């Protein structure tokens, strides 16, 4: 399973956080400007969806005995789907927390 989408979103969040906290110089922000956040987020969600669909397909094949699908393959794919989903939930929680902090800022 490719987790580059989720990893890149986490890196972008960390870089933005460092820039906002002042630990990173604004001149280093050029790397953030070239990234389209919505595309990266959509790619990460698509990766999670694909992992879940693959796990579902393998489990259905195992139950219906259509192919020579091994139980360990099914369990590994289910665990990968679970881990990717939990990672996506953590990213969502970080985004919600960041949004709430921004909304609570006084101007």
């Amino acid at each position: 399973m490719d987790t580059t989408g989720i990893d890149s979103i986490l890196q972008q969040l960390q870089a933005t956080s460092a820039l906002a906290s002042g630990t990173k110089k604004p001149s280093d922000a050029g790397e953030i400007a070239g990234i389209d956040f919505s595309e990266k987020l959509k790619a990460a969600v698509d990766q999670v969806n694909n992992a879940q669909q693959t796990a579902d397909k393998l489990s259905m094949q195992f139950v219906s005995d259509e192919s020579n699908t091994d139980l360990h393959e099914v369990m590994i794919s289910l665990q990968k789907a679970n881990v990717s989903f939990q990672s996506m939930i953590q990213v969502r929680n970080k985004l919600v927390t960041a949004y709430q902090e921004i909304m609570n800022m006084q101007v």
Side-chain angles (χ1 to χ4, degrees):
M1 182 178 76
D2 186 24
T3 61
T4 55
I6 295 171
D7 292 338
S8 66
I9 288 174
L10 288 174
Q11 289 175 353
Q12 185 176 5
L13 286 173
Q14 291 170 348
T16 305
S17 173
L19 184 63
S21 67
T23 59
K24 194 171 193 180
K25 298 176 186 171
S27 62
D28 297 339
E31 64 192 38
I32 297 172
I35 299 172
D36 187 10
F37 182 75
S38 63
E39 287 180 13
K40 294 291 185 181
L41 185 61
K42 183 179 180 333
V45 170
D46 288 341
Q47 286 176 354
V48 172
N49 186 35
N50 289 339
Q52 289 178 340
Q53 287 178 348
T54 301
D56 187 43
K57 183 178 78 173
L58 283 175
S59 63
M60 293 302 286
Q61 286 176 353
F62 180 75
V63 170
S64 65
D65 202 24
E66 291 177 4
S67 66
N68 292 334
T69 306
D70 294 327
L71 178 61
H72 70 277
E73 290 177 19
V74 174
M75 295 305 292
I76 290 172
S77 67
L78 286 170
Q79 285 299 317
K80 283 182 181 180
N82 185 31
V83 168
S84 64
F85 184 70
Q86 294 299 321
S87 298
M88 183 56 67
I89 288 174
Q90 292 301 318
V91 170
R92 183 215 49 189
N93 290 344
K94 290 285 187 179
L95 288 172
V96 169
T97 302
Y99 174 77
Q100 289 172 345
E101 287 180 14
I102 291 171
M103 293 306 294
N104 289 333
M105 286 183 184
Q106 295 180 0
V107 261

